């Protein structure tokens, strides 16, 4: 049982417990180490290995993989790769985001008091501002890489505002679709003002973001961020459907995860790189970093739905099961408890399905497997961003990858 391989240490991510495989066991057979893992990832990309078996193959290929912080080495005097003293990534990013929410509210030029209150409801400064922080850090990292400029352009800062506005609009719309009653520890827009008005409030935030985007005047950037809105819609449609085939189901889940969560981060990072650097290679680095961190972020979010309490999350836990959604922990647990397949196909709609599915997940290694998969995505994000010239911002982006894995809400 894979679950015996893992132990939990506070403040760390999941890590495998060293063991001595017997003759003929998976740990003995075949190649081992990073090259084997690379071969496995290549086969997955080519369709040679089912998605659902990805983590099990990676685990046997790299039995001694440790937590993601091993990939980020700091010098003994706590300095970054660039040699400058390390700062908290959120504090480092926030210096370019002072007045963020005030500036967003200025974009929401609304005469109707009720619509104004609804549209500004989530812009109360109590969110994590995770996306704007990443965008601001990426802007500086790309500018420094290109011409050693420490100046963040006004247009790059605007991308950070737009990213937060698109994200917030998607939350308002998602809460309507999910009939959610709480978000960030308070009542949702749809519960206070009703579903119809909530939809209109989300639309208004998107329109304000579109106007701000048009003002930048860069057609390439406009095209990049317009793709985000399309992906959000397509991702929501993917979430409404399900796949009978086990392997298609996992691919479906990862595609939905990219479109609903990672696309915004990936394309926002790419947008600021386009504004700050003409090199297409840098644009791809920024995109790949955002994509991998974004997918890892959602994988951990899906884990926390099973491991955190409602007070920590600011929303009810087991929410995905109640919505009929089979996330990573469920799909991995299904390998050990095949009886979950029927529950997945009926979207946990029968009495007792949600509680039984939750117990199956907690009895399986689904949480560990999903966490380990998130580590792989963060490792890839670090590999990409490390191609940029050393800077405090680049190292802060590396550190953010670890924060994604160890967060509790």
């Amino acid at each position: 049982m894979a679950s015996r391989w893992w132990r939990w240490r506070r403040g760390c991510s999941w890590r495998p417990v060293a063991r001595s495989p017997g003759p003929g066991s998976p740990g003995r057979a075949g190649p081992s180490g990073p090259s084997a893992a690379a071969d496995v990832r290549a086969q997955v990309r080519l369709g040679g290995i089912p998605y659902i078996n990805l983590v099990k193959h990676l685990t046997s290929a790299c039995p001694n993989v440790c937590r993601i912080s091993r990939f980020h080495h700091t010098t003994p005097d706590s300095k970054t790769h660039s040699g400058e003293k390390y700062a908290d990534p959120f504090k480092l990013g926030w210096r370019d985001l002072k007045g963020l929410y005030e500036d967003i509210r200025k974009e929401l030029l609304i005469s109707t008091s009720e619509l104004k209150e609804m549209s500004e409801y989530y812009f109360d400064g109590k969110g994590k501002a995770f996306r704007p922080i990443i965008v601001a850090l990426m802007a500086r990292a790309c500018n420094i890489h290109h011409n050693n400029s420490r100046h963040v352009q006004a247009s790059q800062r605007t991308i950070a505002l737009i990213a937060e506005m698109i994200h917030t609009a998607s939350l308002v719309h998602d809460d309507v679709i999910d009939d959610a009653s709480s978000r960030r520890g308070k009542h949702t827009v749809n519960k206070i003002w009703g579903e119809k008005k909530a939809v209109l409030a989300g639309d208004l935030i998107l329109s304000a973001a579109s106007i701000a985007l048009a003002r930048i005047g860069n057609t390439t950037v406009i095209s990049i961020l317009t793709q985000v809105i399309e992906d959000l819609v397509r991702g929501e449609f993917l979430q409404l459907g399900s796949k009978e085939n086990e392997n298609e189901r996992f691919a479906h889940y990862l595609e939905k995860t990219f479109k609903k969560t990672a696309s915004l981060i990936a394309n926002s990072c790419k947008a600021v790189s386009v504004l700050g650097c003409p090199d297409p290679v840098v644009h791809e680095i920024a995109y790949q970093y955002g994509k991998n961190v974004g997918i890892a972020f959602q994988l951990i979010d899906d884990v926390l739905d099973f491991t955190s309490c409602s007070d920590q999350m600011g929303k009810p836990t087991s929410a995905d099961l109640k919505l009929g959604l089979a996330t990573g922990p469920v799909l991995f647990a299904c390998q050990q408890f095949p009886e979950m397949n029927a529950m997945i196909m009926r979207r946990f709609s029968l009495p007792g399905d949600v509680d039984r599915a939750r117990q199956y997940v907690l009895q399986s290694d689904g949480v560990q497997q999903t966490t380990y998969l998130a580590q792989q995505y963060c490792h890839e994000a670090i590999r990409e961003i490390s191609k940029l010239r050393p800077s405090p911002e680049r190292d802060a982006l590396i550190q953010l990858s670890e924060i994604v894995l160890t967060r509790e809400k």
Side-chain angles (χ1 to χ4, degrees), residues 29-82:
S32 64
S35 61
D39 291 342
V40 171
R41 283 191 289 270
Q43 291 180 60
V44 170
R45 285 195 295 270
L46 294 172
I49 292 179
Y51 275 96
I52 197 69
N53 294 327
L54 168 63
V55 172
K56 291 183 180 179
H57 280 275
L58 286 174
T59 303
S60 62
C62 299
N64 295 316
V65 170
C66 295
R67 65 176 190 157
I68 199 74
S69 60
R70 290 290 186 89
F71 304 133
H72 177 213
H73 300 286
T74 54
T75 55
D77 58 354
S78 301
K79 293 186 178 181
T80 58
H81 294 90
S82 62

Side-chain angles (χ1 to χ4, degrees), residues 226-333:
T226 302
Q227 182 64 47
V228 172
I229 299 174
E230 179 184 335
D231 284 345
L232 284 169
V233 174
R234 290 184 181 274
E236 195 62 52
F237 264 87
L238 285 170
Q239 184 164 289
L240 293 174
S242 59
K243 295 285 184 180
E244 289 191 35
N245 181 277
E246 206 174 278
N247 296 318
E248 287 183 6
R249 194 183 290 155
F250 206 83
H252 182 271
Y253 164 66
L254 288 179
E255 183 182 1
K256 181 270 296 182
T257 297
F258 168 74
K259 291 188 182 301
K260 282 202 66 177
T261 303
S263 174
L264 174 58
I265 301 174
N267 284 294
S268 297
C269 285
K270 183 176 181 180
V272 292
S273 75
V274 168
L275 291 169
C277 176
D279 188 353
V281 173
V282 174
H283 305 164
E284 185 63 16
I285 290 170
Y287 178 87
Q288 290 299 329
Y289 173 85
K291 171 188 170 182
N292 284 284
V293 164
I295 293 175
F297 185 94
Q298 186 58 51
L299 289 172
I300 295 300
D301 208 57
D302 294 342
V303 164
L304 291 173
D305 198 43
F306 289 94
T307 61
S308 288
C309 65
S310 299
D311 289 342
Q312 283 179 304
M313 292 293 286
K315 58 183 177 181
T317 50
S318 296
D320 292 328
L321 288 175
K322 293 170 186 174
L323 292 171
L325 305 179
T327 56
V330 173
L331 297 178
F332 281 121

Side-chain angles (χ1 to χ4, degrees), residues 3 43 84 91 100 149 156 177 182 195 223 241 272 286 308 334 381:
S3 59
Q43 291 180 60
E84 297 186 36
K91 290 181 180 178
L100 171 73
S149 171
Q156 289 175 313
I177 293 170
S182 64
E195 292 184 356
S223 177
V272 292
S308 288
C334 196

Side-chain angles (χ1 to χ4, degrees), residues 71-72 81 134 137-142 145 269 273 281-290 292-293 377-401:
F71 304 133
H72 177 213
H81 294 90
I134 287 183
L137 291 172
M138 183 62 74
R140 279 184 178 262
C142 291
H145 177 83
C269 285
S273 75
V281 173
V282 174
H283 305 164
E284 185 63 16
I285 290 170
Y287 178 87
Q288 290 299 329
Y289 173 85
N292 284 284
V293 164
Y377 279 105
C378 280
H379 189 188
E380 184 64 19
I382 290 170
R383 192 182 71 82
E384 288 292 336
I385 200 65
S386 295
K387 296 174 183 177
L388 295 185
R389 178 185 298 179
S391 67
E393 288 75 17
R394 186 202 69 168
D395 291 341
L397 289 168
I398 291 173
Q399 185 69 10
L400 271 177
S401 299

